[in-house]
């Protein structure tokens, strides 16, 4: 079991096949979110941004999977205004999380670049822009 506590260094210890599984899951979720069905209109065709299609079709034909938003169905009686407010909050929280992760990554790779995190995060000297140890598009990374 990995003993690293530095997230980028911990990623480096994960086997390649596990990394491919993670990327395959992300690919599936991106693919599924782009689907347009009679029940779900794509956001570029008038649908709501951030609205994820139900996994019911996947559940019926492949295997059981909970919907990603509100798997327990607790928002059925919620007003449209409250749903809209929560969707906005979810999108903004996701954006803030991305900025936070990027800030930590910057401080780990360029010490002193985020003064508020100096001395808090462990430095990392690996290749952060190469998620795999083998470069499939050229020579191996050093």
């Amino acid at each position: 079991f990995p003993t690293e506590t530095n997230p980028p260094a911990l990623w480096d210890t994960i086997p390649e096949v596990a990394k491919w599984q993670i990327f395959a899951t992300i690919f599936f979720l991106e693919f599924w979110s782009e689907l347009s069905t009679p029940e779900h209109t794509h956001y570029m065709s008038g649908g709501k941004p951030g609205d994820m299609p139900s996994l019911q079709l996947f559940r019926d034909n492949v295997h059981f999977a909970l919907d990603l938003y509100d798997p327990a169905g607790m928002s059925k009686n919620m007003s449209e205004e409250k749903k809209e407010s929560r969707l906005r909050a979810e999108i903004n929280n996701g954006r803030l999380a991305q900025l936070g992760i990027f800030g930590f990554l910057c401080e780990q790779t360029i010490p002193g670049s985020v003064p508020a995190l100096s001395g808090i995060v462990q430095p990392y000297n690996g290749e952060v822009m190469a998620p795999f140890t083998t470069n499939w598009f050229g020579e191996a990374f050093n």
Side-chain angles (χ1 to χ4, degrees), residues 104-115 117-119 121-124:
F104 275 92
L105 194 56
C106 286
E107 180 60 35
Q108 287 178 310
T109 56
I110 309 166
S113 63
V114 183
L117 295 176
S118 291
V121 298
Q122 301 167 349
Y124 174 69

Side-chain angles (χ1 to χ4, degrees), residues 25-111:
T25 302
I26 293 168
F27 171 78
F28 170 77
L29 292 173
E30 286 293 325
F31 168 77
W32 198 261
S33 72
E34 293 294 319
L35 289 179
S36 288
T37 64
E39 297 82 28
H40 179 265
T41 304
H42 190 271
Y43 67 92
M44 295 293 286
S45 300
K48 292 193 306 188
D51 186 28
M52 187 75 170
S54 172
L55 292 172
Q56 187 64 45
L57 181 66
F58 187 80
R59 228 183 340 266
D60 292 343
N61 295 304
V62 182
H63 68 78
F64 181 76
L66 293 172
D67 283 334
L68 297 176
Y69 177 75
D70 193 26
M74 298 174 72
S75 69
K76 289 180 183 175
N77 298 329
M78 199 180 301
S79 70
E80 285 302 315
E81 293 82 22
K82 191 166 189 173
K83 286 182 186 179
E84 183 67 29
S85 169
R86 288 191 173 185
L87 175 62
R88 250 184 282 110
E90 183 71 21
I91 291 171
N92 288 335
N93 287 341
R95 290 172 179 160
L96 187 60
Q98 290 173 11
L99 287 171
I101 289 170
F102 190 71
F104 275 92
L105 194 56
C106 286
E107 180 60 35
Q108 287 178 310
T109 56
I110 309 166

